[in-house]
């Protein structure tokens, strides 16, 4: 087990730091708009699962990979997808089930995919992406391709069988993959610690022989540093690694969930103490950046995503015939929609 | 032309497809070093190397799940479920991940995956090693379900499966692996999915069957012919896609039909066949449609499996009853 070093203001790469802040602000703004779309505008048919408070994991990990590397994500994957390079308008249309979405409106929030940016799919089933990611990494190895795979899943996933099967597979075949347990401490509405035996995620990975790391998932600089080191080792043939990034889910399980099952002030306290955006702003301020510059990043992100929602909301729904298309190459069912 | 057993035809087709397309890889429990518990991949690791033919952990959900990742990033995985009964451990990955990738991605990506799985009974192996569960997968929309009964069909259908852009569940009747043998052309050929095979022309009654039940029906036909009954017999070959037109024509020809399959009756694929005939061939029917299937019970211990699997005697009796009606 290794710990990443604390990053200090004095040796901060300010370009990278600003870029990380910008991405976190964009993710936050995107999801705030998505929540408004769901709750205020009733435009999301079904649930969305926000990652508000967890943006440092998405931004930090994704700055460490190349545009053509692969990502597999979860039902809480808007941040990962945006940070991987997907267009926010196409993403928002996808969340709203509209034409012009990344998947033509058929994937939705939980099954969003954008192969053009190496995003091989979010997945609505906890831990299902782990086995698929192992296969993608296997493919890279068999084809002697230098791309690496990042597979992000939540803390709930470590209690499902495919976690064991996927990690074991990756180690047995020595694959180029970084597993990231984005630990927001809740499995849907239950505290994960109450449902998890033993020493948790990293210990389980270690037991399978993976190199494991634990990082403060609310410190984007630390996440970015350690992810960069991991990806470099993995790309040069070092085999699979495991990163346990501990963060916190500010919202309920879905945007509609008031999270009444946890102490009333838990989320507020966490926001005051460990909000990843506030922390990054403080770091940049210490490094001499002007508050107005940081505020401008915030305002621009807010404006960008407000426009995105507005445009997405005006996009048409897909042709209903699409519901019966893309089943198999032998053609779509011929009966009419009922 | 060479006479091959079904398992030999499968092995030679795998070999030919791997020679034809270097993206084809084989994986599964014991398929590499051992060559498969039924020898379907015997010698292929030696020929093609460990990069293209490899053993996997005994872990069906990651075998099936990893195939998605392999397929969407450029390879053509052919994986073996050692027994179809084991595939339930990967039911989620097969029906909800593999089968839905094309749909979810608005057709931008497909999963060219072939899942090979031996199934069916009468080989003295207990319970979940003998299960026939094709109807469960027939509802996995996005998945094709292919069920050969001869070595000739096994070769042509498996070649089609591996070349198909979409996922195919290729079910191999365990009992037929070595008992079934027939002439197989040495040259390359494929068989189109959704085209049934007329096994025998006849006028009195239509018998519809597939895969493991084909030899049972063949035995029944001998008896029926000896009694002066002239049955028309079809082998569906693929249940998804289903040859609806061929099926309707086959039954309209005689106005009577018995469906024979080895899985249990309730919600079995015979129910789908009969519903289709009721919808599309109703006015040609002269007698109620009938099924001969396994009973609605788990697969029994080997010593009494003969009482469970539909027998040729039951088929003969069902045909006689249908002709009297």
């Amino acid at each position: 087990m290794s710990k990443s070093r604390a990053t200090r203001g004095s040796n901060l790469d300010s370009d990278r730091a600003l870029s990380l802040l910008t991405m976190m602000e964009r993710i936050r703004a995107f999801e705030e708009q998505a929540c408004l779309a769901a709750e205020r505008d009733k435009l999301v048919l079904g649930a969305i699962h926000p990652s508000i408070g967890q943006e440092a994991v998405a931004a930090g990990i994704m700055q460490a990979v190349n545009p053509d590397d692969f990502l597999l994500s979860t039902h809480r994957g808007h941040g990962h997808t945006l940070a991987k390079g997907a267009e926010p308008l196409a993403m928002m249309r996808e969340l709203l089930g509209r034409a012009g979405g990344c998947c033509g409106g058929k994937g939705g929030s939980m099954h969003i995919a954008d192969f053009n940016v190496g995003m091989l799919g979010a997945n609505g089933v906890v831990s299902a992406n782990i086995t698929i990611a192992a296969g993608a990494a296997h493919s890279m190895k068999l084809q002697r391709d230098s791309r690496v795979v990042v597979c992000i899943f939540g803390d709930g996933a470590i209690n499902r069988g495919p976690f064991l099967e996927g990690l074991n597979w990756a180690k047995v075949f020595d694959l180029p993959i970084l597993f990231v347990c984005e630990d927001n401490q809740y499995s849907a509405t239950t505290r994960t610690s109450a449902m998890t035996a033993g020493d948790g995620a990293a210990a389980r990975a270690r037991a399978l022989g993976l190199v494991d790391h634990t990082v403060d998932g609310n410190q984007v600089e630390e996440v970015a540093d350690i992810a960069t080191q991991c990806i470099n080792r993995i790309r040069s043939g070092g085999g699979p690694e495991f990163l346990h990034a501990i963060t916190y889910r500010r919202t309920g399980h879905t945007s509609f969930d008031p999270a009444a099952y946890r102490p009333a002030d838990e989320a507020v306290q966490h926001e005051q103490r460990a909000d990843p955006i506030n922390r990054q702003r403080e770091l940049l301020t210490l490094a001499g950046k002007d508050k107005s510059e940081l505020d401008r990043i915030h305002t621009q992100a807010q404006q960008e995503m407000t426009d995105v929602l507005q445009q997405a909301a005006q996009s048409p729904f897909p042709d209903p015939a699409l519901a019966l298309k893309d089943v198999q190459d032998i053609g779509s069912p011929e009966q009419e929609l009922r | 032309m060479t006479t091959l057993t079904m398992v030999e035809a499968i092995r030679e087709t795998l070999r030919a497809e791997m020679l034809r397309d270097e993206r084809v890889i084989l994986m599964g429990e014991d398929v590499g070093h051992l060559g498969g518990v039924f020898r379907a991949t015997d010698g292929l690791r030696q020929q093609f190397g460990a990069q293209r033919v490899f053993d996997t952990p005994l872990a069906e959900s990651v075998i099936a799940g990893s195939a998605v990742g392999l397929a969407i990033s450029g390879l053509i995985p052919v994986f073996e479920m050692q027994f179809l009964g084991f595939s339930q451990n990967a039911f989620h990955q097969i029906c909800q991940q593999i089968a839905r990738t094309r749909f979810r991605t608005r057709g931008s990506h497909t999963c060219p995956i072939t899942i090979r799985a031996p199934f069916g009974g009468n080989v003295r192996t207990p319970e979940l090693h003998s299960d026939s569960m094709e109807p469960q997968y027939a509802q996995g929309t996005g998945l094709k379900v292919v069920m050969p009964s001869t070595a000739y069909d096994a070769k042509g259908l498996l070649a089609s499966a591996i070349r198909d852009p979409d996922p195919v569940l290729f079910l191999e009747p365990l009992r037929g692996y070595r008992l079934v043998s027939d002439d197989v052309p040495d040259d390359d050929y494929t068989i189109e999915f959704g085209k049934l095979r007329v096994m025998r022309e006849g006028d009195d009654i239509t018998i519809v069957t597939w895969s493991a039940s084909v030899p049972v029906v063949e035995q029944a036909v001998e008896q029926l012919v000896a009694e002066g009954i002239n049955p028309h017999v079809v082998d569906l070959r693929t249940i998804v896609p289903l040859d609806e037109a061929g099926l309707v024509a086959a039954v309209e020809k005689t106005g009577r039909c018995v469906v024979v399959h080895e899985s249990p009756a309730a919600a079995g694929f015979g129910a789908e066949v009969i519903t289709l005939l009721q919808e599309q061939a109703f006015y040609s029917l002269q007698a109620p449609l009938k099924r001969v299937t396994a009973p609605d019970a788990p697969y029994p211990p080997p010593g009494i499996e003969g009482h469970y699997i539909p027998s040729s005697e039951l088929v003969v009796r069902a045909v006689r009853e249908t002709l009297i009606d």
Side-chain angles (χ1 to χ4, degrees), chain A residues 20-21 23-25 27-28 31 51-64 79-80 83 152 180 182 215-227 243 245-248 250 270 274-280:
Chain A
L20 289 168
L21 176 68
M23 183 53 73
M24 291 197 293
E25 289 277 18
I27 295 169
R28 176 77 55 94
E31 291 205 311
S51 63
I52 290 170
Q54 305 174 201
E55 296 88 348
V57 179
I61 305 274
M62 287 306 126
Q63 72 78 39
H80 313 145
I152 306 179
V180 180
E182 181 175 0
V215 67
D216 180 347
N218 300 316
Q219 287 282 19
V220 71
E221 294 290 336
E222 290 189 20
V223 175
D225 283 348
I226 200 160
L243 179 58
I246 301 168
T247 177
Y248 182 78
R250 186 87 58 75
H270 191 272
D275 181 80
I277 292 177
N278 289 343
R279 281 185 167 186
Q280 188 68 353

Side-chain angles (χ1 to χ4, degrees), chain A residues 22-102:
Chain A
T22 303
M23 183 53 73
M24 291 197 293
E25 289 277 18
R26 291 179 71 224
I27 295 169
R28 176 77 55 94
F30 179 88
E31 291 205 311
E32 285 174 350
Q33 290 298 314
C35 289
L36 286 174
E39 290 161 58
R40 180 193 65 193
D41 304 337
K42 315 290 181 212
L43 290 174
V44 176
L45 310 175
I48 61 164
H49 304 81
S51 63
I52 290 170
Q54 305 174 201
E55 296 88 348
V57 179
I61 305 274
M62 287 306 126
Q63 72 78 39
V65 301
N66 295 337
D68 61 350
D69 284 333
F70 289 140
L71 163 70
L72 287 107
S73 174
T74 71
H75 59 290
R76 207 177 300 284
H78 312 138
H80 313 145
T81 308
L82 191 62
K84 189 69 178 73
E87 285 296 324
L89 177 57
M91 286 179 61
M92 192 65 85
R93 283 174 169 151
E94 193 59 38
L95 265 58
L96 271 49
R98 303 302 175 97
C102 308

Side-chain angles (χ1 to χ4, degrees), chain A residues 60-303:
Chain A
I61 305 274
M62 287 306 126
Q63 72 78 39
V65 301
N66 295 337
D68 61 350
D69 284 333
F70 289 140
L71 163 70
L72 287 107
S73 174
T74 71
H75 59 290
R76 207 177 300 284
H78 312 138
H80 313 145
T81 308
L82 191 62
K84 189 69 178 73
E87 285 296 324
L89 177 57
M91 286 179 61
M92 192 65 85
R93 283 174 169 151
E94 193 59 38
L95 265 58
L96 271 49
R98 303 302 175 97
C102 308
C103 307
K106 291 183 81 169
S109 162
M110 281 191 274
H111 289 285
I112 196 165
D114 187 347
F115 286 61
N116 294 322
V117 297
M119 194 331 188
L120 300 188
N123 213 298
V125 170
V126 170
S127 85
N129 65 337
I130 299 178
T131 60
I132 297 172
H138 207 151
S139 179
M140 293 304 99
K141 179 165 182 179
L142 292 174
Q143 298 184 79
R144 297 188 173 80
D145 192 310
S146 66
R147 285 176 288 179
V148 303
V149 177
V150 174
C151 176
I152 306 179
F153 45 86
D155 38 309
I158 72 168
N159 287 326
R160 291 202 73 226
F163 172 81
L164 174 78
E165 295 192 20
L167 264 62
N168 183 60
W169 185 286
K171 183 62 185 175
V172 163
F173 294 111
D174 197 30
L175 303 180
I177 183 166
L178 175 63
F179 294 106
V180 180
C181 177
E182 181 175 0
D183 183 351
N184 66 18
Q185 305 183 41
Y186 282 90
S187 302
T189 63
T190 303
R191 270 197 85 87
T192 305
S193 58
M195 290 292 134
T196 305
D199 295 329
R204 292 182 185 184
R206 202 178 315 140
L208 293 165
L210 276 78
V211 178
D212 74 285
H213 318 269
T214 298
V215 67
D216 180 347
N218 300 316
Q219 287 282 19
V220 71
E221 294 290 336
E222 290 189 20
V223 175
D225 283 348
I226 200 160
T228 303
Q229 294 159 16
C230 291
I231 293 293
N232 288 342
R233 278 191 302 268
I234 292 166
R235 202 184 302 282
S236 56
E241 298 198 20
F242 188 92
L243 179 58
H244 184 198
I246 301 168
T247 177
Y248 182 78
R249 192 186 77 201
R250 186 87 58 75
T251 68
H253 175 52
T254 66
S255 65
F256 299 104
D257 169 17
Y261 41 80
R262 64 188 184 192
D265 59 345
E266 192 182 272
V268 176
Q269 279 193 9
H270 191 272
E271 179 175 4
Q272 288 167 352
R273 196 178 69 247
D275 181 80
I277 292 177
N278 289 343
R279 281 185 167 186
Q280 188 68 353
R281 282 177 60 105
E282 284 163 17
L283 205 61
L284 281 157
T285 307
L286 276 175
K289 289 290 169 192
D290 200 50
K291 180 173 179 298
S292 64
E293 185 181 353
L294 306 183
D295 288 346
R296 193 167 59 246
I297 290 172
H298 173 78
T299 312
Q300 281 174 351
Q302 293 285 322
Q303 188 60 52

Side-chain angles (χ1 to χ4, degrees), chain B residues 198-214:
Chain B
V198 177
M199 291 164 55
R200 184 185 191 282
E201 292 281 355
D203 300 317
D204 293 339
I205 183 166
T206 301
I207 304 177
V208 177
T209 190
W210 53 91
S211 193
S213 294
V214 165

Side-chain angles (χ1 to χ4, degrees), chain B residues 29-308:
Chain B
E29 298 161 5
D30 308 310
V31 304
H33 285 103
L34 183 72
V37 292
F38 300 106
R39 324 303 304 160
T41 53
D42 194 21
L44 298 180
R45 183 186 169 97
Q46 289 82 339
Q47 181 173 353
F48 295 100
Q51 295 288 301
R52 294 185 64 197
V53 184
F54 52 88
D55 293 317
T56 67
L58 303 189
E60 285 79 11
S61 69
V62 67
I63 295 171
S66 71
V68 178
L70 287 159
I72 59 181
S73 56
L75 296 175
I76 300 177
V78 178
F79 69 83
E80 178 178 295
M81 289 276 120
Q82 200 162 77
F83 291 88
L84 182 61
F86 298 180
S87 72
Q88 295 294 53
N89 290 311
F91 195 73
H92 163 70
Q93 281 76 11
I94 293 171
C95 289
Q96 294 181 308
Q97 305 292 347
I98 290 176
R100 293 186 189 177
T101 294
R102 181 192 276 265
F103 189 80
R104 266 183 208 146
T105 61
R106 181 59 186 96
S108 76
H109 275 69
T110 66
C111 277
I113 293 170
T114 300
I115 308 164
R116 294 184 36 249
F119 81 103
N122 224 350
V123 289
R124 297 280 184 256
T125 178
E127 211 197 303
L128 50 76
H129 297 77
S130 292
D131 279 329
S132 295
M133 37 183 60
E134 69 270 21
Q136 298 174 21
Y137 289 101
Q139 281 222 322
T141 44
L143 190 66
K144 293 165 186 167
V145 183
V146 175
M147 303 186 70
S149 66
T150 66
Y152 177 90
D153 280 4
K155 175 173 175 176
L157 291 169
L158 182 56
S160 292
I162 294 172
R163 297 175 202 184
D164 198 284
D166 287 307
V168 176
L169 179 62
F170 189 83
L171 299 180
E172 303 168 0
L174 247 178
R175 187 168 164 76
Y177 265 159
R178 287 180 178 74
L179 280 184
V180 170
S181 66
D182 46 277
D183 289 343
V184 178
D186 299 323
D187 291 342
D188 176 60
Y189 65 95
T190 58
I191 296 174
E192 190 183 349
F193 295 157
K195 299 287 177 200
L196 58 72
R197 175 172 72 100
V198 177
M199 291 164 55
R200 184 185 191 282
E201 292 281 355
D203 300 317
D204 293 339
I205 183 166
T206 301
I207 304 177
V208 177
T209 190
W210 53 91
S211 193
S213 294
V214 165
V216 176
V217 168
E218 282 173 337
Q219 211 182 332
V221 166
E222 281 183 33
Q223 170 74 26
L224 291 167
V225 171
E227 293 178 17
I229 297 167
N230 185 21
H232 187 74
V233 187
V234 299
D235 169 6
L236 290 182
R237 281 178 163 163
T238 68
I239 61 168
V240 180
L242 178 62
D243 185 356
E244 297 189 6
L247 191 55
V248 169
V251 174
E252 282 179 338
K253 185 178 181 201
T254 67
R256 298 171 196 271
C257 180
V258 170
V259 185
V260 184
H261 62 68
E262 193 173 310
S263 58
F269 200 74
E272 179 64 24
V273 168
I274 285 174
T275 303
L276 179 85
L277 294 172
Q278 189 278 136
E279 287 171 342
Q280 297 189 24
F282 184 76
Y283 294 107
S284 69
L285 297 181
Q286 298 176 43
L289 301 160
K290 211 175 223 350
R291 283 183 283 178
V292 179
T293 72
D296 291 326
Y299 199 90
I304 52 175
E305 67 185 344
H307 299 279
Y308 178 88

